[in-house]
């Protein structure tokens, strides 16, 4: 991720280049990634099934068997949190696109030569708020995380200090959405970052965040501090 910055890409590719996808981190456990992928299939398949008359009794029984098999094997949450930060930290487990997180929506970001970060996303029934529309909290979640990537792409770091969001029009489910974010203003420790969501040409959401250079203790390592912030 240290090389995933606009300045590095301009040095290696010139001033203009095609969007560069955020590089994947190697998995420490392929079976974990496979398990999460299957959980996501279940998430998408079971969302919105009320009143559908689909028979689920045997499915619930089988899922209970799997849960009974898994739960005795896993360490407590505090230990898992410490273990996470011995590797890639939250990047593989984050709730926005993290391949180790079953609730994460299918988001893949790319860095662009104009300094922005973009993503093309189609969100399914599991993320519904108003009828046929993306829940506003999901939009805000993805945007906040994307702003962190935009900051990193622009060579800035920080954690969210203030966040404003305007819902300009309904954000539809089951249709391709274009997310975009870019650093707008910099002043010392402060970075102001903007973001939008469009459905085609229609503006659905716009937001602005203030990020401050700050640090928090790493779980299990109280003498070490984490300074990068969301997204990076």
């Amino acid at each position: 991720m240290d090389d995933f910055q606009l300045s590095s890409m301009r040095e290696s590719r010139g001033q203009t280049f095609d969007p560069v996808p955020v590089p994947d981190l190697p998995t420490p456990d392929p079976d974990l990634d496979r398990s999460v992928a299957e959980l996501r299939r279940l998430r998408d398949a079971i969302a919105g099934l009320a009143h559908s008359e689909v028979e689920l009794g045997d499915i619930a029984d089988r899922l209970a068997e799997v849960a009974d098999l898994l739960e005795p094997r896993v360490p407590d949450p505090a230990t898992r949190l410490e273990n996470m930060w011995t590797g890639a930290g939250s990047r593989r487990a984050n709730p926005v696109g993290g391949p180790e997180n079953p609730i994460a929506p299918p988001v893949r970001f790319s860095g662009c030569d104009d300094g922005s970060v973009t993503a093309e996303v189609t969100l399914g029934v599991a993320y519904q708020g108003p009828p046929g529309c993306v829940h506003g909290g999901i939009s805000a979640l993805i945007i906040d995380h994307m702003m962190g990537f935009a900051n990193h792409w622009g060579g800035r770091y920080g954690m969210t200090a203030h966040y404003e969001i305007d819902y300009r029009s309904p954000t539809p489910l089951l249709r391709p959405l274009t997310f975009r974010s870019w650093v707008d203003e910099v002043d010392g420790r402060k970075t102001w970052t903007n973001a939008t969501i469009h459905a085609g040409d229609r503006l659905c959401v716009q937001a602005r965040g203030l990020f401050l250079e700050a640090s928090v203790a790493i779980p299990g390592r109280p003498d070490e501090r984490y300074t990068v912030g969301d997204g990076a």
Side-chain angles (χ1 to χ4, degrees), residues 3-210:
D3 291 333
F4 183 74
Q5 292 187 332
L6 179 61
S7 58
S8 299
M9 293 301 167
R10 283 178 172 169
E11 288 179 4
S12 62
R13 304 188 182 203
Q15 294 298 306
T16 60
F17 49 85
D18 292 333
V20 181
V22 175
D24 292 325
L25 288 175
T27 176
D29 186 349
D31 287 336
L32 173 59
D33 281 17
R34 282 203 310 133
S35 298
V36 170
E38 296 306 319
L39 285 171
R40 288 178 175 178
R41 289 180 60 198
L42 286 170
R43 174 200 69 196
D44 293 339
I46 205 167
L49 279 187
H51 313 296
S52 64
E53 300 183 359
V54 174
E55 175 55 49
L56 292 173
D58 59 333
I59 300 297
D61 291 340
R62 295 288 294 275
L63 290 175
E65 292 175 6
V66 173
D68 289 342
L69 185 65
L70 176 62
E71 286 178 339
R73 302 183 183 185
V74 301
D76 63 85
T79 301
R80 276 181 275 170
L81 196 59
E82 292 181 15
N83 291 343
M84 178 191 303
W85 287 94
T86 63
S90 67
R91 178 147 172 248
R92 285 188 51 84
N94 75 74
V96 184
E100 296 174 5
N101 194 319
I103 71 169
V107 184
R108 295 294 302 272
F109 298 105
S110 295
C112 301
D113 58 9
D114 64 357
S116 69
V117 169
T118 63
E120 299 289 332
V121 186
T122 299
L123 295 171
V125 178
Y127 303 104
Q128 182 170 219
C133 299
V134 178
H135 192 291
I138 297 298
S139 298
L141 172 71
I142 297 174
I143 283 178
D144 180 60
H145 191 76
M146 180 174 62
M147 285 178 170
F149 267 125
N151 293 341
H152 185 87
W153 180 243
R156 300 292 296 178
Y157 303 93
M159 298 180 184
T160 312
H162 180 75
Y163 188 31
E164 299 176 358
I165 188 164
D166 293 307
Y167 298 93
R168 297 300 190 184
S169 65
T171 305
L173 294 171
L174 310 179
R175 285 184 53 189
L177 304 171
T178 301
F179 288 72
R180 180 171 176 263
S181 181
W182 63 97
V183 172
D184 182 59
E185 186 180 349
V186 171
D187 181 13
R189 295 174 54 235
K190 300 177 181 179
T191 302
W192 286 267
T193 306
N194 294 344
T196 57
I197 304 174
H198 282 80
D201 293 333
R202 176 165 57 85
L203 176 63
C204 300
V205 181
Q206 61 185 137
R208 182 172 174 84
L210 168 62

